[in-house]
Amino acid sequence: MVKICCIGAGYVGGPTMAVIALKCPKIEVAVVDISAPRINAWNSDQLPIYEPGLDEVVKQCRGKNLFFSTDVEKHVCEADIVFVSVNTPTKTQGLGAGKAADLTYWESAARMIADVSKSDKIVVEKSTVPVKTAEAIEKILTHNSKGINFQILSNPEFLAEGTAISDLFNPDRVLIGGRETPEGLKAVQALKSVYAHWVPEDRILTTNLWSAELSKLAANAFLAQRISSVNAMSALCEATGADVTQVSYAVGKDSRIGPKFLNASVGFGGSCFQKDILNLVYICECNGLPEVAEYWKQVIKINDYQKSRFVNRVVSSMFNTVANKKVAILGFAFKKDTGDTRETPAIDVCKGLLGDKAQLSIYDPQVTDDQIQRDLTMKKFDWDHPLHLQPTSPTTVKKVQSVWDAYEATKDAHAVCILTEWDEFRKLDFQKIYNNMQKPAFIFDGRNVVDANKLREIGFIVYSIGKPLDAWLKDMPAVA
Ligand code: UDX
Ligand code: ADP
């Protein structure tokens, strides 16, 4: 019986291992983490992450062939295959600060594996890491190996949050990179046979180590680039009277381009896109490719521009001041169907509005008050450290209130900003919301979820990203 251990019970490790356990009943899977609260939550009815379909998968396997534990060393020691899915924050200090990946957690995991291992192991890189990390890890392991054979593989995860379970059940591809030596190829085959339990053979791609590592950074960079491209168009649409939804539909009809991932928004968020692009930029710079680095940097610049453009639009529309005005924020997560707020555009938008002294009332169906307060007080890049290293008692953000109901959030507000595309926001009773708001009542839709024309009939002044502007907004142009 093959034993798998995954170090890091986060958004990637948890769901991925749960699906491996479900699809491979004869494999024993242990997910380990240094965070006891996180492991306790995985062992409870209230899982630490919200992901549609995850509860059922965990319930089916937990206690049978899926275990969550803080006994990291024991499970690593017993495993044949060790996945490493720990945090890889952006460095905040020293060489490469603000760009390079901080591999502290990876390195300590690797040293621990070398320390406790008594049998040969396949060590699988699951977190997104810079190209050639596997090589560095290989060095740590082999220099501390006490004669044990370690094979390093790169097996980047392409799941998206909110759809993690269906992405894992039916992946576009599984990518496995390894050394092109007989032992390396054997390790690749061993991991391939795990996925072959449910993934068709032709979707399991095998490459060399560096190609696998770079493919992950490249895929995320391409995806983010699509969003920045459509978001750049959204600014031009607003300036010219075109409608970005119509433009993206027409563009996406070209089969070479395709219709997916062309929704204009207030900006992309999530734990991967910005971090991976910064990483790519740093690698390009280190390899003497400043033009290539500049090219990718622009994807992030447009994303930042889109967020500040949104804030400017809100402030300029409301007579150039939001000071002491209640602004309702609907949605804080970085996308719908997740409670994850890592790099959510809502953080920058809220900070921008707070900078102009607004009073915020925030409602998100999945994000807790504690998380919101933490996010709005945390420094850039600090989010990607294990929870216990983050500030637990944030300095109070008196101007932020979070509530558990959209109607409560919008009551007496001057404006509503929609920052996440939760389905429930489409079904709100906007007449009721309008009646309870200050007038003129504004709606700034950062996700194009509401029917602007219907809201205008009710009496709202409506701004939708990339859509023709109301006369009111045209009279009060935003300075980006
Ligand atoms: C992404 C990749 O999709 C996934 O393959 C990788 O493994 C991890 O990073 P994730 O961050 O979970 O996944 O979410 P994704 O669906 O890619 O969305 C990222 C951000 O882009 C979200 O803020 C989303 O709202 C935004 N987005 C997405 C848009 O603004 N417009 C779109 O058309 C699509
Ligand atoms: P991802 O989105 O990549 O899954 P997360 O931040 O959700 O990232 O999860 C990473 C997890 O790794 C955290 O729960 C953290 O506590 C855990 N972790 C970090 N370093 C170690 C380590 N050395 N040993 C065990 N767990 C670790």
Side-chain angles (χ1 to χ4, degrees), residues 402-443:
S402 60
V403 294
W404 281 103
D405 175 44
Y407 298 103
E408 185 62 34
T410 52
K411 191 162 178 286
D412 295 324
H414 289 257
V416 177
C417 298
I418 302 177
L419 301 185
T420 314
E421 71 283 21
W422 285 102
D423 289 338
E424 65 177 68
F425 297 159
R426 297 176 200 270
K427 298 177 209 139
L428 290 170
D429 179 348
F430 281 102
Q431 182 67 56
K432 178 173 160 188
I433 289 178
Y434 181 79
N435 295 344
N436 290 327
M437 281 177 68
Q438 307 276 346
K439 307 296 175 326
F442 296 85
I443 290 205

Side-chain angles (χ1 to χ4, degrees), residues 6-15 32-35 38 42 49 72 85-88 104-106 108-110 112 126-128 161 271-272 275 340 342 383-388:
C6 175
I7 308 177
Y11 285 90
V12 171
V32 297
D33 203 291
I34 39 176
S35 162
R38 207 161 211 187
W42 279 110
I49 60 178
V72 181
S85 184
V86 299
N87 320 65
T88 48
T104 313
Y105 301 105
W106 233 111
S108 87
M112 183 270 299
K126 205 57 169 144
S127 346
T128 313
E161 285 173 35
S271 67
C272 291
K275 188 170 75 173
D340 193 355
R342 294 178 294 176
W383 54 269
D384 199 8
H385 290 274
L387 269 182
H388 68 281

Side-chain angles (χ1 to χ4, degrees), residues 243 245 418 426 430 443-445 448-465 467-470 473:
D243 179 332
T245 313
I418 302 177
R426 297 176 200 270
F430 281 102
I443 290 205
F444 300 91
D445 184 358
N448 286 341
V449 294
V450 295
D451 182 336
N453 288 334
K454 274 198 190 141
L455 297 193
R456 285 184 188 121
E457 277 166 24
I458 294 175
F460 283 105
I461 296 163
V462 187
Y463 165 74
S464 309
I465 292 269
K467 305 262 185 172
L469 297 176
D470 284 11
L473 301 169

Side-chain angles (χ1 to χ4, degrees), residues 287-363:
N287 282 287
L289 301 168
E291 289 82 1
V292 185
E294 262 324 295
Y295 173 76
W296 287 112
K297 230 185 250 175
Q298 204 58 32
V299 173
I300 294 181
K301 281 195 192 156
I302 288 289
N303 200 45
D304 289 340
Y305 165 76
Q306 189 75 344
K307 291 181 273 189
S308 63
R309 202 167 77 76
F310 186 87
V311 173
N312 292 351
R313 179 70 77 188
V314 175
V315 177
S316 65
S317 310
M318 296 168 72
F319 314 102
N320 266 327
T321 178
V322 285
N324 300 319
K325 290 179 185 165
K326 177 172 171 180
V327 177
I329 304 290
L330 298 188
F332 197 80
F334 82 99
K335 62 191 269 197
K336 74 169 180 179
D337 291 338
T338 176
D340 193 355
T341 61
R342 294 178 294 176
E343 293 289 354
T344 175
I347 295 178
D348 286 341
V349 170
C350 288
K351 282 186 175 169
L353 294 172
L354 288 169
D356 250 279
K357 300 200 171 64
Q359 302 254 3
L360 303 183
S361 185
I362 305 179
Y363 164 66

Side-chain angles (χ1 to χ4, degrees), residues 6-75:
C6 175
I7 308 177
Y11 285 90
V12 171
T16 313
M17 293 304 125
V19 168
I20 291 182
L22 183 78
K23 298 290 185 183
C24 313
K26 292 205 173 125
I27 296 181
E28 190 179 297
V29 183
V31 190
V32 297
D33 203 291
I34 39 176
S35 162
R38 207 161 211 187
I39 290 298
N40 291 342
W42 279 110
N43 282 320
S44 75
D45 287 337
Q46 197 69 44
L47 300 185
I49 60 178
Y50 170 69
E51 192 61 65
L54 177 65
D55 281 35
E56 292 75 37
V57 176
V58 170
K59 267 186 202 137
Q60 280 186 59
C61 321
R62 196 173 54 193
K64 290 184 192 136
N65 65 331
L66 175 67
F67 303 92
F68 295 93
S69 166
T70 48
D71 199 344
V72 181
E73 302 190 354
K74 170 180 172 273
H75 288 285

Side-chain angles (χ1 to χ4, degrees), residues 157-161 216 220 223 227 261-263 265 267-270 272-273 334-335 421 447:
E157 185 47 64
F158 293 101
L159 67 81
E161 285 173 35
K216 171 67 190 200
N220 276 346
L223 289 168
I227 302 168
F261 245 70
L262 284 178
N263 292 323
S265 67
F268 61 73
C272 291
F273 284 176
F334 82 99
K335 62 191 269 197
E421 71 283 21
R447 297 287 185 167

